[in-house]
C-alpha cells in the first residue's frame, strides 16, 4: 500500500526536479515514461479477462474432481472410470489452455520492462554524453543528476507495473468469490 501511495509522488516530484535542474534532458525522461507505459498497457491489456477464463476452467476442474471423489463408488459400480478420466483430462487440458496466455504475458512482461528501462538509461548516457562532450552545454554533474532522477522515475514505474498483474489476478478471483457467494442454492431448506 505504501508503494502505491509513494510511487506517483516520486514520479511527479522527479519530473518536476528534472524540469528545474536538467531541462535539456526532460524530453528523454518523458519519452521513456510514455514508451514504457504504452508497452505495458499493450502487454497488460485484457489480463483480467484472461485470469477470469483461467479461474472458470479451474472451477470446472475442481467440480469434476469433486464429483468424481464424491461418486467414486457409483463410477466404479457402473464401470465409468474411462469416461470420467477422459472428462477430467479434457477439463485439465482446457485449464492448461486458459492458463498459458496469462502465464506467457507475465513471462514476457518483466524482461520487456527491464529492456525498456535499460534502453532508457543507455539513451540517457548517449544523449547526455553528447551534450557534455560534443556540444559542451551540460556538465558531467548534470548528467549524473539526471541519471539519478531517471532511475527515481523508472523504479516506481517498474514497481507499479510489477504489482498490476497481481491486482488483475486478485480482482478476477474476487469476482469469482462474489459469484459463488451470490449464487442461490439449488436445494433449499424446508
Amino acid at each position: 500500500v505504501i508503494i502505491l501511495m509513494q510511487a506517483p509522488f516520486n514520479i511527479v516530484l522527479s519530473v518536476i526536479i528534472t524540469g528545474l535542474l536538467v531541462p535539456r534532458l526532460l524530453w528523454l525522461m518523458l519519452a521513456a515514461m510514455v514508451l514504457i507505459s504504452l508497452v505495458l498497457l499493450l502487454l497488460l491489456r485484457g489480463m483480467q479477462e484472461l485470469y477470469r477464463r483461467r479461474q472458470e476452467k479451474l472451477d470446472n476442474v475442481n467440480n469434476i474432481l469433486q464429483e468424481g471423489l464424491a461418486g467414486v463408488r457409483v463410477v466404479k459400480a457402473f464401470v465409468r472410470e474411462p469416461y470420467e478420466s477422459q472428462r477430467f483430462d479434457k477439463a485439465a487440458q482446457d485449464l492448461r489452455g486458459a492458463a498459458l496466455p496469462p502465464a506467457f504475458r507475465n513471462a514476457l512482461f518483466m524482461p520487456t520492462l527491464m529492456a525498456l528501462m535499460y534502453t532508457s538509461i543507455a539513451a540517457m548516457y548517449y544523449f547526455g554524453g553528447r551534450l557534455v562532450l560534443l556540444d559542451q552545454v551540460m556538465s558531467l554533474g548534470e548528467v549524473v543528476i539526471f541519471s539519478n532522477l531517471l532511475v527515481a522515475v523508472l523504479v516506481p514505474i517498474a514497481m507499479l507495473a510489477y504489482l498490476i498483474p497481481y491486482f488483475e489476478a486478485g480482482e478476477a478471483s474476487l469476482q469469482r468469490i462474489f459469484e459463488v457467494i451470490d449464487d442461490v442454492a439449488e436445494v433449499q431448506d424446508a
Side-chain angles (χ1 to χ4, degrees):
V1 175
I2 293 173
I3 292 172
L4 293 175
M5 292 171 35
Q6 282 181 344
F9 179 74
N10 287 348
I11 291 168
V12 170
L13 194 61
S14 295
V15 170
I16 291 171
I17 292 171
T18 300
L20 295 173
L21 296 179
V22 195
R24 284 191 179 93
L25 290 176
L26 181 62
W27 67 271
L28 180 62
M29 178 181 284
L30 296 175
M33 290 171 56
V34 169
L35 180 65
I36 289 171
S37 298
L38 287 175
V39 169
L40 295 180
L41 182 67
L42 290 174
L43 273 177
L44 297 176
R45 191 185 61 202
M47 284 292 280
Q48 187 175 3
E49 179 62 26
L50 293 174
Y51 282 126
R52 190 189 58 74
R53 269 193 235 133
R54 183 187 72 179
Q55 193 68 34
E56 288 174 359
K57 299 300 182 182
L58 181 61
D59 287 345
N60 189 32
V61 168
N62 286 337
N63 288 339
I64 291 171
L65 187 60
Q66 184 178 8
E67 289 171 10
L69 291 174
V72 71
R73 288 186 182 150
V74 175
V75 169
K76 286 185 177 181
F78 290 105
V79 191
R80 301 209 16 114
E81 284 181 67
Y83 169 77
E84 291 297 327
S85 178
Q86 190 177 31
R87 186 171 155 224
F88 180 78
D89 286 343
K90 168 90 170 81
Q93 289 300 321
D94 289 347
L95 173 60
R96 181 178 175 264
L100 283 178
F104 176 74
R105 284 196 189 179
N106 279 337
L108 190 62
F109 173 70
M110 284 310 283
T112 303
L113 178 64
M114 290 296 128
L116 289 172
M117 287 177 60
Y118 292 134
T119 302
S120 300
I121 291 170
M124 180 266 311
Y125 284 123
Y126 174 77
F127 290 112
R130 287 186 58 90
L131 290 173
V132 170
L133 297 175
L134 299 178
D135 299 338
Q136 296 180 350
V137 294
M138 281 181 65
S139 69
L140 185 58
E142 289 174 306
V143 174
V144 171
I145 289 170
F146 181 73
S147 69
N148 289 330
L149 290 168
L150 183 64
V151 169
V153 165
L154 295 180
V155 168
I157 290 174
M159 289 188 312
L160 287 173
Y162 179 76
L163 293 174
I164 289 171
Y166 293 108
F167 286 133
E168 294 289 331
E171 189 173 348
S173 297
L174 191 61
Q175 285 177 353
R176 181 62 187 141
I177 289 169
F178 285 135
E179 286 175 17
V180 170
I181 290 172
D182 294 340
D183 194 25
V184 178
E186 292 177 15
V187 178
Q188 298 290 329
D189 291 333

